[in-house]
Amino acid sequence: MYHYVRPAPVGLPYFRYLHVDDFCRQLDWLQARFPFPSWEEFREGGKTGAAPEGVVLTFDDGFRDHYEYVLPELKARNLWGFFFIPTAPLDSAVILDVHRVHLILGLIGGDKALQALRKITDASIIVVAYTDTFRDLTYTHQTNDDATALFKKTLNYYISYEYRAEVIARLFKDVYGDGPPTADEIYLSSNQIREMADAGMVIGSHGTNHLVFSRLLADEQRFEISDSTATLGGIIGNSIETFCYPYGGAGTFTDETQTILHDHGVLYSFAVLPEDINAKDFSERPHALPRYNCNQFPHGRASIGGSSPPAA
């Protein structure tokens, strides 16, 4: 599982990402040790229950990084990947709240971000049930400092959705003023998505607004799935058969979510559960397929700003 893959960013001293050079080194490491089944072999494995041997690559959030840096490298190696795309930026050119959180942290760091958050919020907008559910389940495979982790947990998991967008918008405005990045600078365009599909990449849904599905009503979940798959299907001219849960860790989706995905015609859905996929997963939980974070393997450690991670 990958997210940001890019060279060192300019002007974001605290931004966390996988440097494209380390991405290439990790692909070298993986290719030296494992086969890479085709999409057809993976798809057929799900039908027959015979899980193919090897590695599949997944990329979340629909970043321009994936077109500019990932796609050329995969094509050069004759590889492919799943690309899970949230569609609200395509429809309305918005920067999703989850990525505004990353950009705030990237510019001012966790300590200052948490201080700014505490100045404009209080405990009344925190949902205690969500703090109990997600406190020990989230970001367990990331190396965040304590302030960064709490800032992310508060805005992505704990805060009431009634207030979340307003709080993040205010923080974003305070931090970036009148010069924030634009959605076009961050996300894939429709033409780029179409080109990636034509190059053999598998386009999947990541919902419309990148929300925690277990916090949504059933009708809201259905909208997120149907709206996003319709948008992406219209772009690539094919039905969307794969899905990836936003955030995706334990507690972020329910049995009802999996039923909705099945009823909508989605074949496979990916979570964030660090295990191998086996035949039992295909037969018993095709809508909760596990996957590893890239930072659990050599060369996958995050860089911060202009720094590089230690060699692994």
Side-chain angles (χ1 to χ4, degrees):
M1 174 182 64
Y2 299 91
H3 289 83
Y4 301 100
V5 180
R6 59 178 60 183
V10 176
L12 292 172
Y14 302 98
F15 193 81
R16 304 176 72 87
Y17 65 102
L18 181 65
H19 196 287
V20 65
D21 292 344
D22 289 321
F23 173 65
C24 294
R25 293 186 187 104
Q26 187 166 85
L27 289 183
D28 289 340
W29 187 88
L30 291 168
Q31 286 188 288
R33 289 162 176 79
F34 305 102
F36 281 69
S38 68
W39 163 229
E40 290 75 20
E41 290 170 328
F42 185 91
R43 196 175 188 277
E44 190 62 24
K47 291 180 178 180
T48 63
E53 182 181 357
V55 171
V56 294
L57 307 173
T58 70
F59 302 86
D60 291 7
D61 291 359
F63 297 130
R64 284 182 65 101
D65 295 7
H66 302 160
Y67 178 83
E68 294 181 355
Y69 306 112
V70 172
L71 179 63
E73 192 62 32
L74 296 189
K75 289 171 67 175
R77 296 170 184 257
N78 197 30
L79 297 176
W80 64 282
F82 292 101
F83 291 82
F84 296 111
I85 301 171
T87 55
L90 292 166
D91 295 329
S92 55
V94 298
I95 299 177
L96 294 168
D97 285 339
V98 61
H99 302 135
R100 293 188 186 205
V101 168
H102 297 163
L103 289 166
I104 292 166
L105 288 166
L107 188 62
I108 64 174
D111 288 334
K112 289 184 178 179
L114 187 59
Q115 291 171 18
L117 176 62
R118 285 171 169 166
K119 287 180 181 178
I120 65 171
T121 60
D122 58 42
S124 66
I125 65 172
I126 301 301
V127 182
V128 174
Y130 295 145
T131 64
D132 294 341
T133 298
F134 294 114
R135 181 185 293 109
D136 298 324
L137 296 178
T138 56
Y139 306 122
T140 56
H141 298 289
Q142 296 182 12
T143 54
N144 297 306
D145 60 84
D146 290 345
T148 295
L150 182 55
F151 184 79
K152 291 168 67 174
K153 287 180 180 182
T154 300
L155 290 177
N156 289 332
Y157 292 96
Y158 301 165
I159 194 170
S160 168
Y161 275 169
E162 181 181 355
Y163 304 103
R164 179 178 185 248
E166 179 183 352
V167 168
I168 294 175
R170 179 172 172 183
L171 288 170
F172 198 65
K173 176 70 172 176
D174 290 345
V175 169
Y176 279 93
D178 295 324
T182 65
D184 288 344
E185 295 174 292
I186 298 171
Y187 300 111
L188 295 165
S189 69
S190 295
N191 287 339
Q192 289 167 341
I193 294 170
R194 190 177 300 111
E195 184 177 336
M196 292 170 70
D198 290 343
M201 306 301 122
V202 177
I203 304 301
S205 166
H206 204 30
T208 298
N209 296 294
H210 200 290
L211 300 172
V212 177
F213 267 57
S214 61
R215 293 184 57 178
L216 303 178
L217 300 174
D219 284 347
E220 293 172 324
Q221 295 185 50
R222 291 188 185 94
F223 168 80
E224 289 281 326
I225 294 165
S226 62
D227 180 72
S228 59
T229 54
T231 296
L232 293 169
I235 291 170
I236 68 172
N238 282 306
S239 59
I240 301 300
E241 298 180 318
T242 60
F243 182 87
C244 170
Y245 299 103
Y247 305 102
T252 61
F253 59 95
T254 66
D255 290 344
E256 183 175 42
T257 313
Q258 296 178 67
T259 298
I260 293 170
L261 285 160
H262 172 78
D263 292 346
H264 197 74
V266 174
L267 299 180
Y268 307 116
S269 304
F270 287 84
V272 182
L273 307 168
E275 303 169 5
D276 290 353
I277 298 174
N278 56 41
K280 189 175 182 180
D281 293 321
F282 276 132
S283 62
E284 296 185 6
R285 58 173 189 177
H287 293 294
L289 295 179
R291 55 183 182 154
Y292 294 96
N293 195 312
C294 67
N295 62 26
Q296 295 176 255
F297 294 87
H299 313 294
R301 289 278 302 278
S303 293
I304 301 175
S307 67
S308 296

